[in-house]
Amino acid sequence: MFMHNKRLQYTVRVSETNPRLATMMLEQFGGADGELAAAMRYFTQGLGEDDAGRKDMLLDIATEELSHLEVIGSIIAMLNKGVKAQLAEGQMEEVELYRTFGTSGVSAKEALLFGGGPALIDSAGVPWTAAYIDSRSEPTADLRSNIAAESRAKIVYERLINITDDPGIKEALGFLMTREIAHQKSFEKALYAIEDNFPSGKLPGVAKYANIYVNTSQGEGDTNGPWNAGGQWDRIDDLTQTMPIDGGDGTASVGLSSAEEVAAAKLAARTASNPASNPRTGVDLGAGPGAGRTTDADLGGAEDIASAPAFAEANPPASVDTLTT
Amino acid sequence: MFMHNKRLQYTVRVSETNPRLATMMLEQFGGADGELAAAMRYFTQGLGEDDAGRKDMLLDIATEELSHLEVIGSIIAMLNKGVKAQLAEGQMEEVELYRTFGTSGVSAKEALLFGGGPALIDSAGVPWTAAYIDSRSEPTADLRSNIAAESRAKIVYERLINITDDPGIKEALGFLMTREIAHQKSFEKALYAIEDNFPSGKLPGVAKYANIYVNTSQGEGDTNGPWNAGGQWDRIDDLTQTMPIDGGDGTASVGLSSAEEVAAAKLAARTASNPASNPRTGVDLGAGPGAGRTTDADLGGAEDIASAPAFAEANPPASVDTLTT
Amino acid sequence: MFMHNKRLQYTVRVSETNPRLATMMLEQFGGADGELAAAMRYFTQGLGEDDAGRKDMLLDIATEELSHLEVIGSIIAMLNKGVKAQLAEGQMEEVELYRTFGTSGVSAKEALLFGGGPALIDSAGVPWTAAYIDSRSEPTADLRSNIAAESRAKIVYERLINITDDPGIKEALGFLMTREIAHQKSFEKALYAIEDNFPSGKLPGVAKYANIYVNTSQGEGDTNGPWNAGGQWDRIDDLTQTMPIDGGDGTASVGLSSAEEVAAAKLAARTASNPASNPRTGVDLGAGPGAGRTTDADLGGAEDIASAPAFAEANPPASVDTLTT
Amino acid sequence: MFMHNKRLQYTVRVSETNPRLATMMLEQFGGADGELAAAMRYFTQGLGEDDAGRKDMLLDIATEELSHLEVIGSIIAMLNKGVKAQLAEGQMEEVELYRTFGTSGVSAKEALLFGGGPALIDSAGVPWTAAYIDSRSEPTADLRSNIAAESRAKIVYERLINITDDPGIKEALGFLMTREIAHQKSFEKALYAIEDNFPSGKLPGVAKYANIYVNTSQGEGDTNGPWNAGGQWDRIDDLTQTMPIDGGDGTASVGLSSAEEVAAAKLAARTASNPASNPRTGVDLGAGPGAGRTTDADLGGAEDIASAPAFAEANPPASVDTLTT
Amino acid sequence: MFMHNKRLQYTVRVSETNPRLATMMLEQFGGADGELAAAMRYFTQGLGEDDAGRKDMLLDIATEELSHLEVIGSIIAMLNKGVKAQLAEGQMEEVELYRTFGTSGVSAKEALLFGGGPALIDSAGVPWTAAYIDSRSEPTADLRSNIAAESRAKIVYERLINITDDPGIKEALGFLMTREIAHQKSFEKALYAIEDNFPSGKLPGVAKYANIYVNTSQGEGDTNGPWNAGGQWDRIDDLTQTMPIDGGDGTASVGLSSAEEVAAAKLAARTASNPASNPRTGVDLGAGPGAGRTTDADLGGAEDIASAPAFAEANPPASVDTLTT
Amino acid sequence: MFMHNKRLQYTVRVSETNPRLATMMLEQFGGADGELAAAMRYFTQGLGEDDAGRKDMLLDIATEELSHLEVIGSIIAMLNKGVKAQLAEGQMEEVELYRTFGTSGVSAKEALLFGGGPALIDSAGVPWTAAYIDSRSEPTADLRSNIAAESRAKIVYERLINITDDPGIKEALGFLMTREIAHQKSFEKALYAIEDNFPSGKLPGVAKYANIYVNTSQGEGDTNGPWNAGGQWDRIDDLTQTMPIDGGDGTASVGLSSAEEVAAAKLAARTASNPASNPRTGVDLGAGPGAGRTTDADLGGAEDIASAPAFAEANPPASVDTLTT
């Protein structure tokens, strides 16, 4: 059961209002790596967890993240306090109000739709979605996801610190950033407290495919490193060996019932394309006489852009000649 | 630049069609941890990466994941081949066709909207979204995200193997699952090939908050472990120390201009609530005379559920009097 | 700041596992009117609220809703406990496991992707989105939204009670349902504790349009009631009076700069349609000779469905002549 | 059946083009409280409604909202008329065109993707979603939702009026705003024309939980008001009484079959964490030697931010020893 | 199987960094008509296609679109290269960094969340969704969708060219735009290589409804053209002929079982509205005394906006009387 | 301005209720190719259109589609009429009600959340989104999109007809399907009434890239057809010619300011990977001793799946040595 105390986990001192900075702070309120995502990630894992230690840890951190959601939300509320009141009371000239948030679509939505209240959207105005949460009920995978999530949240706080010059906000963000570091450490400890944690789950891999590195991207820039070279890897550079890798013919097939075969044959016949045809098409009908399609000489850097006649000519018999000469 | 060969990376042999199993396989085609998510995660990271080794690795693995997308998509196409043809040709009785996919909403969408073709939706019919991709342009965070993503994908393949009894599908899934293991190993190597990879980014944390563990969830079930106890941690059990943790007063404040203050005061006055009032409300208007609200004795296990008169009594004579006088 | 105790607000006793019932309970976990929506609705309003009484109430109820999220999530975790373990351990025959959740796409996603853990999706597998939250930072609007939200949540709980026969679940749902009723009462009191709460906001309406009821849907079924008839309404039945209602000409116009006028004229000329033409179209090219398009006599109830020749005849000889000459 | 007349319900006179103002107007075209949401909310309710009076009213108002969608869409089309033509015709210098909408992401999308046409997105460019519609097929809930929706729409129009200084737009918005007020009145009348409308639905609440107010948020700021105090409420301040409120032990449990128990035990054993361990983790591997992590003295307001050595020290020699021995 | 070469299909030369222009280029990276949409559209069609020629063509073009995704993504990476490094290294003054992307919400998200990496979002920051893909497994429909998609992509590239003055970008965009033209030609050929391609699918239409044009929008502006007039059309101007068009009574009905009828009757009775009532409503309770609602004389253009007393007057004495007697 | 008549455009006669069939019909109510998508597609185009003929046609067809939305919605309401009443009144045994819609997640959401009312979701329960609408304000692109959309909608209706055996529904669907055919014809006429309609927009393509067909997918299955062969095409089979196609070096580059160069260099140095390292990684820490990872002999078809020891061996003693020395 949750309880709440009205004091924040960290005191928030904002120097002056700034609705545009508020929209940037939204990234950690209703954004992909924001505090709601963190809280819900750990809370849902905690609910489904049976291991006592992990359950306790997940609920501890989930609850703290809710308190962080409150801190960042309070920062946003402070930054928006002016525009909220002035918009609600119609206290400024229209044109001034419009300018206050007018050059940013997100500030506009924050003001017009949400009235300056902290909304669960990101810095581009996209509503928070549970698609951000990647809990899978397998602790060795979930803990890795949590480690990664804390690492990402740390970075986003760092970037927000880098664009803020309000000392009170900077300090609060520094606190929040640091807590992500501490949480990452906890999740690392919990992962390695599961003795056999790799690979995740129960099924082992197929031995013959487990150490192969396929060099699918080739050309200048091919580089060796511990991720693709050394004793742990069998690297495949000749890609024909992987077409397919199993030694079969690389096709897909399925057994059909006789009724299915009949239907499939009818479908094939009905929708067959005639590769020997040279049909007249909608494009042929629609390519104009070219009168209005002169080369746009201003298209800097692409001086050889085709005039429309090239297209008209490119379709019928005549045009082949035109093109190839 | 990408090139394609029509042979698959792994030969696909499906015993018989099964549109419902097809919808489950969609989880790894258009699902959150599916192959498109994997391919696009690494591809977008690769495009923005300047480190030669990591760029090469990311493009290698991205390209391989595209080939896996093709394998899992081919399995889905095979499993749906019957329903696709029979629905298109109207070859079965209506009622038979309806039954073929009729008990699952997702099969219905797969058949009715997508006609049995492999669609970029998950096993519940939700379209794939780039919200699944958590690349952040910071390699120490991205590589951790990649490690976690491979770990999750491995688990989802394991579950699909556990519900499939078609040997050809099982074998192909085993191959795909194993490749996720190999990719995880590559990403781990790449992470630790960055010497100083923790914490992510450049800014260090605030020392005094970095080793604190806040025991925010208390009561029976509190457990010690390396994630919250031992020499690396300062654990706080007395939560009043964290209200707030910075020694301030735990409130949020902002400096307002005088115009903002005027507007805020007007807004406060206009929307003030009167805590001393006992207003008659819409609920008072709407709670019926109770005649029709007898206790529902059949509501097994909640025998004491209130009859509506309880509500009428709760908003009682006094307030009615207030109105009518 | 939030705190947590591991005891639930309501004890959860589930008789037996049932993954399909679990997916239905998801409606109140990650659904549109579920407990996360409730908690976040009130929490975000509370953060932005300056009125002491409303702020206190919003935070009280938000916190309680988080505890309800925990209760409903625990029910889901219990209902899924069997499928989670059996899928993870591969303890059943494939085909049995498949059948356990196999006929419902949502159960499949719950099992395959989320491994049986409580996920923030609704009963159809759609991820929770903050688009469900309609807070607007205007208390007289927000409180009405809260009243409506509680009313909706009450109904969804009622429906869940109606399809459940597990007494422990029924009892817990009865508790949760009742709390929504209590919350609605609080929000009603808070709304009417704002003396002047209608219309919302500060600007009054335009007097001459405020009491008009436009009877835009006509024909059999037109009904009078207090919503469109009586002394409070001026009803318009003759719709020509509303084309437009302001007495103007009912068009839309804008002042253009001369440069804009030039561009607009060029655009109009370039994309002008020729209403006097009778162009041959892609459809004319594509309508087959009709040989394969016989009337489908089995299309019960629509025996006169056109054969393809009808279409061929509809795009007739004349245009063919035009083309071939 | 719907019919249409080309005259608008309100004449639209826009002084001059302004693509940025257009994006703000989108809030009421494709936004959460916009006219499409209103029209579809009432239309879908009307289709499912059997009560003659409510059905008539819902279809009347739904149809009027479609006409309002047309009015607001026409305003947007007018405001964008210049940028549409100039972008299509390439009539301006690139850099001028870019500046015209260049500072707002939403204007960019409006211009680049939608070519200046009215699109069903909100002021931040997010596509309209039916997730905004909260119809539940229970009239006492739906009418409350409609009341709230009209109240919200009124506020958004008020805000748009407050940022617009074009008199023609202001006048049209004033009309649209006023109609929301009138609609709210209709829905209120319809709600209270259902005699017993609270609580929604058929099931009464559980008496003993119906009048409780749980003071879950405590500390300075606790306030009394009619929503939590007075004869209608039993307020709980001692939260231990609600852990749990039912007098049970506050845990969650489920009956498992023996096969489920076996699987659960295996799962628990396989994923057990060892709380007595002090494992070396990825963080220990990755925390650098600290050389490059000096205190960032420029991080204004957080002068005591930890240097990286703090982290190195926190994961210290001891654990390395543990590993290597 | 896919392979990759590190050389791009088109060389990318960007003159200077420009994060705002980068966000506009996102339209063709993660936008609705961008290259991922194109690649996935054709790739998923190709996987499900059995016709050899179409399958080959779809895979050819899908693969080329992936290479285009790489080209446009590389442009974005180059445009963001400065902001990425400066934000990561904290090399600029906070306020400078903030200004660099500060006026556009999308630039903010690109920088703060994605760190300047190419992200699969559109120019308004909305994540790419597979809802953009409209493949239906019917080649005559899919090819038309492909033709339309290429036509749209061509336009978006044209608009991007019109706002760019960097010659290297312009040239690359010109190449990409031209390829869409070529692809459209291929799809047109493939459509018309299916001899009988209209109407799509197998079932013919119902003859008597196939040539009707219903003039549902009437009034000034009614125009004749080949789409509604001429020998191919039977135009209906008198709309009463279409209420309904089948000659029935235009109602909807369903056969109910007796149990269903009982339930329906109970539902109707329970939720019946009383059209003869004149209920006092929440609005009556909430409309203030008008003291604070004076006409806002500044609401330019709507000088006759109602003062609140108008509303108070519209509701009161009469209805109160009705209630109290 | 819109008007409405309560008679439907087509009489709806449903034989008996069927909530599962109702969920399938949702595909054309709130689905991607459903009637709302159609109506809004043409309506938004019509609002932005200046050409009188096209504007008239778009508004005509948009309005008719709204009437079709009403017809399909009425079918859904009829099919759900039983479950709606029985769920609302709690008239059936819990278990019966549960079974009525219990095996399909979408039916569950339709019943539990929407109470059986027609909701703007598709057959998988996904809410309608304006992302389905692809209007671009360029008539030659929009008309092609409309043609494709009608073609798709035709197919979805055909599939619904193929799974329905209720003659009244079949007949109504036949009508709706036929209207899509008629609308396609109108849009084709309108497209070709624009004389010069290919390529879309104003800018011509670059001549040298306009007739190239790149054979990017090679291997068995390569096929010639009018889409890639013949006089209109220059086919490239040797893909090295396209790396890059412009004759440059196929790289991406950007001009950086000196400050940007400094930052980029610092970023590169800080995040450099060391390709010569062989770091110990998290995987090395986490791969268990193999004791518990025996080959799963039951994994039918993949008998050679690796035991965990294979992984332990792959990350072997050697690397530990490397680390500790």
Side-chain angles (χ1 to χ4, degrees), chain A residues 179 181-190, chain B residues 198 207-214 225-236, chain D residues 277-285 287 310-322:
Chain A
R179 296 305 296 151
I181 298 172
H183 294 161
Q184 182 178 345
K185 289 198 304 181
S186 286
F187 292 128
E188 295 260 2
K189 287 294 181 189
Chain B
F198 176 80
K208 64 183 166 190
Y209 303 131
N211 299 311
I212 288 173
Y213 184 92
V214 189
W227 48 81
N228 64 2
Q232 299 188 13
W233 296 107
D234 297 322
R235 193 165 88 182
I236 296 179
Chain D
S277 66
N278 186 15
R280 185 170 175 79
T281 73
V283 160
D284 300 286
L285 298 178
F311 283 101
E313 286 159 32
N315 309 289
S319 63
V320 174
D321 291 346
T322 301

Side-chain angles (χ1 to χ4, degrees), chain F residues 241-260:
Chain F
Q241 293 179 29
T242 62
M243 295 174 186
I245 206 164
D246 60 295
D249 65 4
T251 62
S253 61
V254 63
L256 294 181
S257 69
S258 57
E260 288 173 328

Side-chain angles (χ1 to χ4, degrees), chain E residues 24-65:
Chain E
M24 296 186 189
M25 295 295 152
L26 286 171
E27 201 54 65
Q28 288 300 81
F29 190 69
D33 289 335
E35 298 289 358
L36 179 62
M40 288 302 115
R41 177 187 299 270
Y42 309 138
F43 177 63
T44 54
Q45 287 176 25
L47 283 182
E49 180 61 80
D50 287 315
D51 185 85
R54 283 196 300 267
K55 188 183 195 78
D56 180 33
M57 175 191 68
L58 288 162
L59 292 173
D60 279 336
I61 300 182
T63 306
E64 188 178 350
E65 304 288 22

Side-chain angles (χ1 to χ4, degrees), chain A residues 2-324:
Chain A
F2 289 93
M3 295 152 284
H4 182 264
N5 185 291
K6 288 186 188 66
R7 278 182 289 162
L8 299 169
Q9 201 186 357
Y10 202 93
T11 306
V12 168
R13 293 283 168 269
V14 176
S15 305
E16 57 183 7
T17 62
N18 184 340
R20 293 186 203 169
L21 185 58
T23 66
M24 297 186 188
M25 296 294 151
L26 286 171
E27 200 54 64
Q28 288 302 80
F29 190 71
D33 289 336
E35 298 290 356
L36 179 62
M40 287 303 116
R41 178 188 298 270
Y42 310 139
F43 177 63
T44 55
Q45 287 176 24
L47 283 183
E49 180 62 78
D50 286 315
D51 185 84
R54 285 197 299 269
K55 189 183 195 80
D56 179 35
M57 176 190 68
L58 288 161
L59 292 174
D60 278 336
I61 302 183
T63 307
E64 189 179 347
E65 304 288 23
L66 284 173
S67 300
H68 295 173
L69 186 69
E70 193 182 18
V71 172
I72 190 80
S74 297
I75 292 173
I76 295 162
M78 292 303 110
L79 287 166
N80 274 336
K81 197 160 185 170
V83 75
K84 173 182 170 179
Q86 291 179 311
L87 185 57
E89 299 305 305
Q91 280 298 104
M92 296 162 79
E93 290 295 305
E94 290 87 355
V95 85
E96 264 181 281
L97 259 176
Y98 169 82
R99 271 193 207 119
T100 301
F101 57 84
T103 48
S104 161
V106 188
S107 286
K109 182 172 173 177
E110 253 293 282
L112 295 171
L113 186 66
F114 297 116
L120 288 166
I121 55 174
D122 67 13
S123 67
V126 177
W128 191 86
T129 162
Y132 297 143
I133 298 188
D134 46 24
S135 305
R136 296 294 175 259
S137 289
E138 160 60 41
T140 62
D142 285 352
L143 289 166
R144 285 183 169 94
S145 295
N146 299 355
I147 288 164
E150 294 290 349
S151 177
R152 294 193 301 270
K154 193 271 178 187
I155 281 294
V156 179
Y157 275 124
E158 176 168 338
R159 290 170 184 158
L160 286 172
I161 289 171
N162 277 353
I163 57 133
T164 313
D165 61 358
D166 182 316
I169 297 178
K170 233 176 164 72
E171 196 183 306
L173 295 177
F175 164 72
L176 295 170
M177 180 185 78
T178 304
R179 296 305 296 151
E180 313 296 26
I181 298 172
H183 294 161
Q184 182 178 345
K185 289 198 304 181
S186 286
F187 292 128
E188 295 260 2
K189 287 294 181 189
L191 173 60
Y192 293 101
I194 303 173
E195 200 182 347
D196 185 0
N197 64 57
F198 177 79
S200 288
K202 189 175 181 187
L203 282 182
V206 181
K208 66 183 164 189
Y209 302 132
N211 300 310
I212 288 172
Y213 184 93
V214 188
N215 181 18
T216 57
S217 173
Q218 303 194 349
E220 198 171 343
D222 259 17
T223 308
N224 276 3
W227 49 81
N228 65 1
Q232 299 187 12
W233 296 107
D234 296 324
R235 193 164 88 182
I236 297 179
D237 289 309
D238 174 3
L239 296 178
T240 60
Q241 292 178 29
T242 62
M243 295 174 183
I245 205 165
D246 60 294
D249 64 5
T251 63
S253 62
V254 63
L256 294 180
S257 70
S258 57
E260 288 174 328
E261 271 187 7
V262 169
K266 291 183 78 164
L267 175 60
R270 185 165 58 80
T271 61
S273 73
N274 180 358
S277 66
N278 186 15
R280 185 168 175 78
T281 73
V283 161
D284 300 286
L285 298 178
R293 300 288 187 104
T294 56
T295 301
D296 187 341
D298 294 328
L299 190 68
E303 58 290 306
D304 51 4
I305 282 207
S307 60
F311 282 101
E313 288 159 28
N315 291 305
S319 67
V320 174
D321 293 345
T322 304
L323 180 79
T324 52

Side-chain angles (χ1 to χ4, degrees), chain D:
Chain D
M1 205 191 83
F2 289 93
M3 295 151 283
H4 182 264
N5 185 290
K6 288 187 189 62
R7 279 182 290 162
L8 299 170
Q9 200 187 357
Y10 202 94
T11 306
V12 168
R13 292 283 168 269
V14 176
S15 306
E16 58 185 6
T17 62
N18 185 340
R20 293 185 203 170
L21 186 58
T23 66
M24 296 186 190
M25 295 295 151
L26 285 171
E27 200 55 62
Q28 289 300 82
F29 190 69
D33 290 334
E35 298 290 357
L36 180 62
M40 287 303 116
R41 178 188 298 270
Y42 310 137
F43 177 63
T44 55
Q45 287 175 24
L47 284 181
E49 181 59 80
D50 286 315
D51 184 85
R54 284 196 300 268
K55 189 183 195 79
D56 179 34
M57 175 190 68
L58 289 162
L59 293 173
D60 278 336
I61 300 183
T63 308
E64 188 178 348
E65 304 288 23
L66 283 172
S67 300
H68 295 174
L69 186 69
E70 193 181 19
V71 172
I72 189 81
S74 298
I75 291 173
I76 294 163
M78 292 303 110
L79 287 166
N80 274 336
K81 198 160 187 170
V83 75
K84 173 182 170 178
Q86 290 178 311
L87 184 58
E89 298 305 305
Q91 280 297 105
M92 296 161 78
E93 289 297 306
E94 292 86 353
V95 85
E96 264 181 281
L97 257 176
Y98 169 82
R99 270 194 208 120
T100 301
F101 57 84
T103 49
S104 160
V106 187
S107 285
K109 181 170 174 179
E110 254 294 282
L112 294 172
L113 185 67
F114 297 115
L120 288 166
I121 56 174
D122 67 13
S123 67
V126 177
W128 192 86
T129 163
Y132 296 143
I133 299 187
D134 46 23
S135 304
R136 298 293 175 258
S137 288
E138 160 61 42
T140 62
D142 285 351
L143 289 166
R144 285 184 169 93
S145 294
N146 299 355
I147 288 165
E150 295 290 350
S151 177
R152 292 193 302 270
K154 193 271 178 187
I155 281 293
V156 180
Y157 274 124
E158 176 169 337
R159 291 171 183 158
L160 286 171
I161 289 170
N162 277 353
I163 56 131
T164 313
D165 62 357
D166 182 315
I169 296 179
K170 233 176 165 70
E171 196 183 305
L173 295 178
F175 165 71
L176 294 170
M177 180 185 78
T178 303
R179 295 306 296 150
E180 313 297 25
I181 298 172
H183 295 160
Q184 182 178 344
K185 291 199 301 182
S186 286
F187 291 128
E188 295 258 2
K189 288 292 182 190
L191 172 61
Y192 293 101
I194 303 173
E195 199 184 346
D196 185 0
N197 63 58
F198 177 79
S200 288
K202 190 177 180 185
L203 281 183
V206 180
K208 65 183 165 190
Y209 303 131
N211 299 310
I212 288 172
Y213 184 92
V214 188
N215 182 18
T216 58
S217 172
Q218 304 194 348
E220 200 170 342
D222 259 18
T223 308
N224 277 3
W227 47 82
N228 65 1
Q232 299 188 13
W233 296 106
D234 297 324
R235 193 164 90 183
I236 297 180
D237 289 307
D238 175 4
L239 296 178
T240 61
Q241 292 180 28
T242 62
M243 294 172 183
I245 205 165
D246 61 293
D249 65 3
T251 63
S253 62
V254 63
L256 295 180
S257 70
S258 57
E260 289 173 328
E261 271 186 8
V262 168
K266 291 183 77 164
L267 174 61
R270 184 166 59 78
T271 61
S273 73
N274 179 359
S277 66
N278 186 15
R280 185 170 175 79
T281 73
V283 160
D284 300 286
L285 298 178
R293 296 292 184 104
T294 55
T295 300
D296 189 339
D298 295 328
L299 190 69
E303 59 291 305
D304 50 6
I305 280 206
S307 60
F311 283 101
E313 286 159 32
N315 309 289
S319 63
V320 174
D321 291 346
T322 301
L323 180 80
T324 54
T325 50

Side-chain angles (χ1 to χ4, degrees), chain F residues 194-208:
Chain F
I194 303 173
E195 199 182 347
D196 184 0
N197 63 57
F198 176 80
S200 288
K202 188 174 180 187
L203 282 182
V206 181
K208 64 183 165 188

Side-chain angles (χ1 to χ4, degrees), chain C residues 216 238-245 248-252, chain D residues 2-10 63 66-68 70-71 74, chain E residues 215-222 239, chain F residues 1-4 43 47 55-56 59-60 63 66:
Chain C
T216 58
D238 174 4
L239 296 178
T240 60
Q241 293 179 28
T242 62
M243 295 173 183
I245 205 165
D249 66 3
T251 63
Chain D
F2 289 93
M3 295 151 283
H4 182 264
N5 185 290
K6 288 187 189 62
R7 279 182 290 162
L8 299 170
Q9 200 187 357
Y10 202 94
T63 308
L66 283 172
S67 300
H68 295 174
E70 193 181 19
V71 172
S74 298
Chain E
N215 182 18
T216 57
S217 171
Q218 304 195 347
E220 199 171 344
D222 259 17
L239 296 178
Chain F
M1 205 194 80
F2 289 93
M3 295 151 283
H4 182 264
F43 177 64
L47 283 182
K55 187 182 196 79
D56 179 34
L59 292 173
D60 278 336
T63 307
L66 283 173

Side-chain angles (χ1 to χ4, degrees), chain C residues 192 195-199 201 203-208 210 224-227 232 275 277 282-283 285-288 293 296 304-306 314-315, chain E residues 192 195-199 201 203-208 224-226 232 273 275 277 282-283 285-288 293 296 304-306 311 314-315:
Chain C
Y192 294 101
E195 200 182 346
D196 185 0
N197 64 57
F198 177 80
L203 282 183
V206 180
K208 65 184 165 188
N224 276 3
W227 48 81
Q232 299 187 11
S277 67
V283 161
L285 298 178
R293 299 289 186 104
D296 188 340
D304 50 5
I305 281 205
N315 309 287
Chain E
Y192 294 101
E195 199 183 347
D196 185 359
N197 63 57
F198 177 80
L203 283 183
V206 181
K208 65 183 164 189
N224 276 3
Q232 298 187 14
S273 73
S277 67
V283 161
L285 298 179
R293 298 293 186 100
D296 188 339
D304 50 5
I305 281 206
F311 283 101
N315 292 304

